[in-house]
Amino acid sequence: MPDKMFKKVLVTGGAGYVGAVLIPKLLAAGYEINVLDLYLYGDDVFDGVKPNSALTEFKGDLRDLGVVQSALDGCDCVIHLACISNDPSFELNPALGKSINLDCFQPLVKAAKESGVKRFVYASSSSVYGVKNDPSVTEDLSLEPLTDYSKFKADCEAVLQQETGEDFVTCTIRPATVCGFSPRQRLDVIVNILTNHAVNNGRIKVFGGEQKRPNIHIEDMTDLYVQLLTEQDEKINGKIYNAGGKNHTVNELAEIVKQTVGGDLVVDVLPSDDLRSYHVCSDRLKRDIGWEPKLGIKEAVQDLMDAFDRGDLINSMEDSRYYNIRKMQEVHLA
């Protein structure tokens, strides 16, 4: 790895699904890390890297500017992951989603600039494109978000672009749906849902099936964030990138799960009113910085199977910590 250009990194939402895999990688790379998170899904996310004097945890709300400023102290880089994730979770409480996903974004960016942060990496979403008929959905296509969740992601992208400059380098990533194992596991995204049901029920349901659902392995996703901290300013400043693997249909995802899990797995194909189909092209990342995914759906499924075998995913059908909506309802997040 090249010499580090940054000393201390703030990761908002760092105790979440992606952050729980990212933080150990950043620590291993020699960064000091501040994590700002509500820790809704448990305080044990980083037990595997404790005690580590390079890790400082701030249990607090992104909407609390005082906590944000404390978490930013001494940081020269921010990776902003925190949000109410995906449409169903957002629709549970639209006002809450807006307050976290949009309203506090500009104050965070302003506070970061004022505290001396030099690089800001933002996790947006590939859903900002809406449904496209183009065979290759590149970053040059127009944004046509279909939901408030994706609309606010696009709005934050615009806010960040306005703040970009030579002394405040920004980069926006539009990830596909993340899949695979994490110490803060989610079992409410498509590949993980299918695998959970395949392993524990011996049966999976496919609604529709021909819709495309781009995914990215969590190890590839987190490797990309680590790499973005090593790239020279001029390569990435103001850039927006799609990040995904192959654009599989739901039927193809189910077939990969079936072949990987094995056994007498039953796949029920049912009609669906939701025929939204998404596909993204991530070639720009490869051209600009040489990044491309190394892992696929099969590896994500196998990683989850291994976690079940180890006993790391107990009571996976019922435990609310694996399901964003259930947990948000349980704690009455407001």
Side-chain angles (χ1 to χ4, degrees):
M1 176 173 289
D3 290 340
K4 297 192 306 297
M5 300 190 304
F6 305 100
K7 180 181 178 182
K8 183 182 285 189
V9 183
L10 168 63
V11 183
T12 70
Y17 178 45
V18 173
V21 177
L22 174 61
I23 298 305
K25 290 184 179 183
L26 291 172
L27 290 169
Y31 297 99
E32 295 177 38
I33 303 297
N34 285 0
V35 170
L36 173 59
D37 202 292
L38 287 169
Y39 288 84
L40 292 182
Y41 303 91
D43 296 323
D44 59 348
V45 176
F46 301 121
D47 282 358
V49 291
K50 289 180 180 176
N52 190 322
S53 60
L55 174 64
T56 304
E57 299 176 74
F58 294 81
K59 188 174 184 178
D61 197 311
L62 192 64
R63 296 168 290 181
D64 182 341
L65 189 57
V67 172
V68 169
Q69 289 170 332
S70 295
L72 281 166
D73 185 44
C75 293
D76 47 8
C77 183
V78 171
I79 300 176
H80 180 47
L81 304 178
C83 71
I84 300 297
S85 296
N86 72 23
D87 294 331
S89 299
F90 191 99
E91 290 161 6
L92 176 68
N93 187 336
L96 171 69
K98 181 175 183 291
S99 71
I100 292 176
N101 289 18
L102 178 63
D103 294 343
C104 66
F105 183 74
Q106 190 163 39
L108 168 66
V109 174
K110 294 283 191 183
K113 292 184 77 171
E114 290 170 2
S115 71
V117 166
K118 301 301 182 186
R119 182 167 297 186
F120 193 106
V121 177
Y122 173 49
S124 182
S125 168
S126 59
S127 67
V128 296
Y129 296 109
V131 175
K132 299 290 190 188
N133 292 320
D134 304 67
S136 183
V137 178
T138 69
E139 296 87 348
D140 297 322
L141 295 186
S142 61
L143 305 188
E144 301 176 60
L146 300 175
T147 64
D148 281 347
Y149 167 77
S150 51
K151 179 181 182 296
F152 294 151
K153 285 290 190 181
D155 289 344
C156 289
E157 289 186 15
V159 167
L160 191 60
Q161 290 296 105
Q162 292 173 355
E163 299 293 341
T164 301
E166 288 186 5
D167 295 326
F168 190 71
V169 172
T170 71
C171 185
T172 293
I173 302 298
R174 294 172 178 163
T177 301
V178 182
C179 59
F181 175 73
S182 166
R184 197 263 105 171
Q185 187 62 50
R186 287 187 64 182
L187 294 173
D188 54 2
V189 288
I190 186 164
V191 171
N192 300 358
I193 292 171
L194 293 173
T195 306
N196 187 26
H197 282 263
V199 170
N200 294 293
N201 289 340
R203 192 178 205 103
I204 58 178
K205 294 180 180 179
V206 171
F207 294 92
E210 291 307 310
Q211 316 97 306
K212 286 186 175 180
R213 290 290 185 268
N215 284 265
I216 182 171
H217 195 293
I218 196 165
E219 296 293 339
D220 286 324
M221 184 74 262
T222 49
D223 284 348
L224 172 58
Y225 287 129
V226 174
Q227 182 175 340
L228 287 172
L229 302 193
T230 69
E231 298 294 339
Q232 295 298 315
D233 292 349
E234 60 272 13
K235 272 194 174 184
I236 65 167
N237 195 15
K239 296 290 184 67
I240 297 173
Y241 293 109
N242 295 336
K246 293 182 179 179
N247 294 289
H248 293 288
T249 67
V250 177
N251 281 335
E252 289 170 343
L253 294 175
E255 183 60 27
I256 295 170
V257 171
K258 181 177 181 179
Q259 294 297 324
T260 307
V261 174
D264 298 323
L265 181 66
V266 177
V267 179
D268 296 320
V269 180
L270 305 171
S272 175
D273 294 330
D274 182 6
L275 299 178
R276 291 174 298 167
S277 187
Y278 302 103
H279 50 286
V280 295
C281 172
S282 304
D283 290 350
R284 180 176 290 179
L285 267 176
K286 183 177 181 180
R287 289 196 304 267
D288 283 9
I289 66 171
W291 178 91
E292 59 184 328
K294 298 181 178 67
L295 303 171
I297 304 303
K298 180 178 180 179
E299 288 81 7
V301 174
Q302 186 62 57
D303 290 346
L304 289 168
M305 291 173 61
D306 292 344
F308 282 118
D309 288 343
R310 292 193 303 268
D312 288 345
L313 300 174
I314 300 170
N315 193 23
S316 63
M317 291 294 177
E318 302 299 332
D319 196 324
S320 62
R321 63 180 156 165
Y322 304 125
Y323 301 92
N324 284 7
I325 288 179
R326 292 186 201 175
K327 177 59 72 172
M328 288 166 61
Q329 290 173 319
E330 186 179 279
V331 303
H332 305 292
L333 184 63

